[in-house]
Amino acid sequence: MNMNMNAKRKSMLSVGIVKRALIDSFIKCNPLIMVKNPVMFVVEVGTFVVLLMILFPSYFGTQDKIGFNIAVFFILLFTVLFANFAEALAEGRGKAQADSLKKTKQEIMANKLVGGALITIPSTELLKGDIVIVAQGEMIPSDGEVIEGLASVDESAITGESAPVIKEAGGDFSSVTGGTRVVSDQITVRITSDPGHTFIDVMIALVEGAKRQKTPNEIALNTLLVSLTLIFLIVVVTLAPMADYLGIKLDILVLISLLVCLIPTTIGGLLSAIGIAGMDRVTRFNVLAMSGKAVEAAGDIDTMILDKTGTITFGNRMASEFIPVGDSTVESVAQWAAISSLKDETPEGRSVLELVKKEGFTFTIEVADKAQFVEFKAETRMSGMDLQNGQKIRKGAVDSVKSWVSGNGGMIPEDLDEKGNKIASAGGTPLAVAVDNVIVGLIYLKDTVKPGMRERFDQLRKMGIKTIMCTGDNPLTAATIASEAGVDDFIAESKPEDKIAVIKKEQAAGKLVAMTGDGTNDAPALAQADVGLAMNSGTTAAKEAANMVDLDSDPSKIIEVVAIGKQLLMTRGALTTFSIANDIAKYFAIIPAMFMVAIPQLKILNVMALGSPMSAILSALIFNAIIIPLLIPLAMKGVSYKPMSSAKLLSRNLLVYGLGGIITPFIGIKFIDLFVHLWV
């Protein structure tokens, strides 16, 4: 299942995709398919009527215009085919990715644990809740969570990245995906998906567009296009009897040409392709969007909730110093910190033991024999050990440890807050270490802000997006990091319910909110947010709650996702503006051509000085047809996006695509007419 996303980013199209799109262009001419796009369906009906006029010229009285009719027929046919080609081309890349996954998807044999014994069964027979053991060199048979052990896993089949990642029991990096390979060690995995519902199956369905639903904005725009089409259809149908009343004879072919040029065929032909390409851009960026609605919502985001660790900072908070408080010594702090971390498998816990070893401190490891490990919880914000001799050791946030010690009748050292604040003001995180009712010292954890974050937040500010940093750190540390990174606001000592509260508060003010997360405790907030980006390395609960999954597990990618969402909205808006604007020029080509012979005074409207009524009609139709394939690259790639206010963005679009949409057809139709007039 090797789907190298990086290679796919480099190549926008391939010969195979283009060939497949050409074939699909004809298949999509099926009226049952075309009716889903009302604008182009009207063009197809017009094409069929022109075909009847060619086949039965005597019935329609067009024996003397066979050549002209044939020319119009092929122009209209190509208009329909070009619109179908745009949609097929956008779908093609997703289908190619899906085919790649399907071809290489293989049945994996799994070592299922049953009653203490291992039995080998096909992966397709695994059910949710089954326990399997995966050793070095073996493929993980299905999606699951590591419940025992630690292993290095090659996820290149999913992410395209060759570097293996560490998966371990507990914590936020326990989720594994079927089809990935264990590079080292052995893990015990609890299966979390039934056959046909694995992450790979979801990827196949999404990238091939099987589950693509139109977004609210797309539906609204489609409704507008249908309304305009109906209005112009009524205008054209009523125009014939009105002209007859005035003694003006209008050919059916001219009326069909007028209708095709009046209705918004350009955006009608490209609308679906824009939506599909928008989702595809997110996919090629290694983000799996569960719906087009999520991508579109990203473009309308007003507030972004960001975790500090791993998003704004590198997330590698490592113990760098032991600081005693009260009457304790550095050796004492190091000893109890090490004992409290013996069974702590978090990066911070491991870094404590590494620092003890590095600094040459010693401790009696036998003290921890048969001790009970107290896991870290978001509610308590502490972890530790309950020793067999009755001693209780706790390590965690200063305020939490202070409350725990006070609850046990202990005293708080006078220099604790001063030394803790000093660490926090330097941008570090202080962890207090306590033994029973005595706080012996602090562990200084260091973390650093990722380079360029201030500039990126400045860009978001220019977009009108408010950034809020959530962190479990104390207010001083949070304020220091927030100031250094340049976020608009922060929430210190935050708990899972705090994230939900701030999301609901922003949503109550009518704002759309985005956030990232990877842990089970992030799942409620990810579900509540309008755009929830879960990390692929995170837990199954987080991925199920979110509407986007980042295969690279880069929390800061939410910033790029928002930019892609805005680019999607901009592309749709820009091409809609261009489409409606270029209709104006077509009016100046078609309308004078229709009435100049009967009403010579209308010749003044022929500002382009087109050669003849027939050449004017053909030139307008040809331009109407070729503008669709010319705009396909822009629809696929998207309009270039630069962070700016909505007012500036609107002014820019009106200038570039509004004015450009008016000028381009005048030039294009006149240029085409120079050649068509010679033939006509």
Side-chain angles (χ1 to χ4, degrees):
M1 280 170 287
N2 187 11
M3 187 178 71
N4 194 320
M5 295 288 187
N6 294 327
K8 290 187 182 294
R9 290 192 195 108
K10 294 177 184 177
S11 176
M12 180 177 165
L13 298 173
S14 69
V15 176
I17 291 175
V18 173
K19 286 182 178 178
R20 183 170 182 170
L22 287 171
I23 296 171
D24 286 345
S25 300
F26 288 91
I27 295 174
K28 286 178 177 288
C29 287
N30 183 338
L32 296 177
I33 299 176
M34 287 296 297
V35 76
K36 296 177 182 178
N37 186 342
V39 177
M40 298 314 300
F41 179 69
V42 169
V43 179
E44 186 178 48
V45 172
T47 306
F48 180 71
V49 173
V50 176
L51 177 62
L52 292 178
M53 294 172 68
I54 296 171
L55 296 175
F56 308 102
S58 57
Y59 179 81
F60 290 94
T62 57
Q63 297 93 329
D64 57 335
K65 297 180 180 179
I66 293 295
F68 183 72
N69 291 355
I70 292 174
V72 171
F73 168 75
F74 279 106
I75 293 171
L76 294 181
L77 177 63
F78 279 113
T79 303
V80 174
L81 291 176
F82 285 148
N84 290 346
F85 180 73
E87 183 178 34
L89 201 60
E91 293 173 345
R93 287 184 290 186
K95 289 179 179 178
Q97 293 174 8
D99 287 345
S100 177
L101 288 170
K102 289 175 182 177
K103 286 177 183 177
T104 55
K105 188 175 180 181
Q106 55 184 309
E107 188 173 87
I108 303 167
M109 300 307 293
N111 297 316
K112 180 181 176 182
L113 191 62
V114 180
L118 288 178
I119 61 170
T120 302
I121 63 171
S123 59
T124 52
E125 295 181 12
L126 288 174
L127 299 175
K128 189 174 182 179
D130 287 346
I131 306 296
V132 297
I133 294 179
V134 189
Q136 180 176 338
E138 294 179 346
M139 302 284 284
I140 295 173
S142 185
D143 296 353
E145 288 186 335
V146 180
I147 58 174
E148 186 178 328
L150 177 149
S152 180
V153 179
D154 176 10
E155 293 189 327
S156 59
I158 306 298
T159 67
E161 298 294 335
S162 57
V165 294
I166 301 298
K167 298 290 184 178
E168 57 187 327
D172 297 336
F173 298 94
S174 60
S175 175
V176 291
T177 306
T180 56
R181 184 182 298 276
V182 174
V183 178
S184 67
D185 302 295
Q186 177 178 293
I187 49 176
T188 302
V189 178
R190 178 188 293 113
I191 302 301
T192 56
S193 300
D194 287 324
H197 298 279
T198 65
F199 191 65
I200 291 291
D201 294 318
V202 173
M203 284 182 68
I204 291 172
L206 289 171
V207 298
E208 69 181 354
K211 293 185 178 180
R212 193 186 97 83
Q213 296 178 340
K214 290 184 178 181
T215 63
N217 283 347
E218 191 176 351
I219 292 172
L221 181 55
N222 196 57
T223 303
L224 173 63
L225 297 182
V226 171
S227 301
L228 289 174
T229 301
L230 285 173
I231 290 170
F232 287 128
L233 183 61
I234 293 170
V235 168
V236 171
V237 168
T238 56
L239 192 61
M242 291 173 64
D244 282 341
Y245 179 77
L246 296 172
I248 302 171
K249 179 64 176 177
L250 294 178
D251 292 338
I252 296 176
L253 194 66
V254 174
L255 291 173
I256 292 173
S257 301
L258 175 64
L259 177 61
V260 171
C261 287
L262 284 175
I263 62 178
T265 51
T266 305
I267 187 62
L270 295 172
L271 182 59
S272 183
I274 293 169
I276 296 169
M279 283 192 69
D280 181 64
R281 279 196 296 276
V282 173
T283 302
R284 287 184 292 116
F285 205 70
N286 259 13
V287 173
L288 193 64
M290 300 305 175
S291 69
K293 184 178 180 181
V295 181
E296 191 173 272
D300 285 328
I301 287 301
D302 301 295
T303 305
M304 191 179 295
I305 311 295
L306 298 149
D307 273 330
K308 185 203 79 171
T309 306
T311 305
I312 296 173
T313 65
F314 281 106
N316 53 348
R317 297 192 307 173
M318 300 299 175
S320 61
E321 188 179 354
F322 297 118
I323 301 173
V325 296
D327 299 328
S328 299
T329 62
V330 176
E331 290 78 7
S332 175
V333 179
Q335 176 186 354
W336 293 115
I339 292 173
S340 69
S341 304
L342 281 173
K343 295 184 179 181
D344 185 353
E345 295 297 328
T346 64
E348 291 90 345
R350 295 195 195 107
S351 72
V352 169
L353 296 176
E354 289 172 5
L355 181 61
V356 169
K357 183 178 180 181
K358 177 183 175 183
E359 297 294 332
F361 294 117
T362 59
F363 62 96
T364 308
I365 195 170
E366 288 76 18
V367 173
D369 286 346
K370 297 182 180 179
Q372 183 179 355
F373 176 61
V374 179
E375 291 186 6
F376 176 87
K377 292 183 179 179
E379 293 76 17
T380 62
R381 295 166 62 228
M382 293 188 303
S383 64
M385 298 276 271
D386 290 344
L387 304 183
Q388 195 173 19
N389 62 8
Q391 285 184 303
K392 297 181 184 293
I393 309 166
R394 293 294 183 270
K395 172 190 68 179
V398 175
D399 287 345
S400 298
V401 175
K402 282 168 64 176
S403 299
W404 182 76
V405 168
S406 298
N408 291 335
M411 301 294 292
I412 308 301
E414 294 181 359
D415 57 347
L416 177 65
D417 288 338
E418 178 188 348
K419 291 183 177 179
N421 291 341
K422 187 176 180 180
I423 293 172
S425 60
T429 302
L431 292 184
V433 180
V435 182
D436 291 331
N437 60 352
V438 178
I439 297 178
V440 296
L442 298 167
I443 304 171
Y444 184 173
L445 296 181
K446 277 188 177 179
D447 197 0
T448 53
V449 174
K450 293 180 179 179
M453 291 305 294
R454 176 174 284 277
E455 290 74 16
R456 298 180 84 177
F457 288 135
D458 285 341
Q459 290 180 353
L460 290 172
R461 206 168 287 112
K462 289 178 183 177
M463 297 180 199
I465 298 174
K466 177 184 178 183
T467 52
I468 301 175
M469 180 185 79
C470 287
T471 176
D473 293 334
N474 62 59
L476 262 177
T477 302
T480 302
I481 297 293
S483 176
E484 186 179 346
V487 295
D488 298 314
D489 200 359
F490 67 90
I491 300 173
E493 299 177 342
S494 68
K495 298 176 182 177
E497 54 266 29
D498 295 328
K499 293 179 183 178
I500 298 177
V502 72
I503 290 172
K504 288 183 176 179
K505 180 182 177 183
E506 293 292 318
Q507 289 174 332
K511 297 178 180 179
L512 294 182
V513 183
M515 79 157 287
T516 62
D518 57 7
T520 301
N521 60 350
D522 291 325
L526 287 169
Q528 180 66 38
D530 299 286
V531 176
L533 179 65
M535 303 299 102
N536 187 43
S537 61
T539 62
T540 301
K543 288 189 281 189
E544 288 178 348
N547 48 24
M548 288 188 181
V549 177
D550 177 21
L551 302 179
D552 295 329
S553 299
D554 177 7
S556 64
K557 198 180 284 186
I558 185 69
I559 298 172
E560 277 78 14
V561 169
V562 168
I564 292 173
K566 286 189 174 294
Q567 186 185 39
L568 169 63
L569 296 176
M570 276 183 55
T571 302
R572 187 183 295 143
L575 291 182
T576 301
T577 303
F578 184 89
S579 175
I580 294 174
N582 72 32
D583 286 340
I584 296 173
K586 288 183 282 186
Y587 303 160
F588 279 95
I590 290 286
I591 294 177
M594 290 176 60
F595 297 103
M596 271 193 302
V597 176
I599 310 175
Q601 293 86 345
L602 286 179
K603 190 174 182 179
I604 194 173
L605 294 177
N606 187 19
V607 294
M608 286 185 277
L610 300 178
S612 68
M614 283 190 174
S615 72
I617 291 171
L618 285 178
S619 298
L621 287 175
I622 291 172
F623 178 84
N624 192 63
I626 64 175
I627 197 65
I628 294 176
L630 290 177
L631 290 175
I632 287 177
L634 184 61
M636 299 283 282
K637 187 178 180 182
V639 174
S640 61
Y641 175 70
K642 293 181 180 179
M644 61 180 70
S645 66
S646 299
K648 288 184 178 179
L649 200 59
L650 178 61
S651 301
R652 177 175 174 267
N653 275 354
L654 288 176
L655 180 64
V656 176
Y657 297 98
L659 186 60
I662 294 174
I663 295 173
T664 302
F666 276 96
I667 298 172
I669 292 173
K670 177 60 180 177
F671 181 77
I672 295 169
D673 182 73
L674 293 175
F675 296 93
V676 173
H677 178 56
L678 297 176
W679 173 69
V680 173

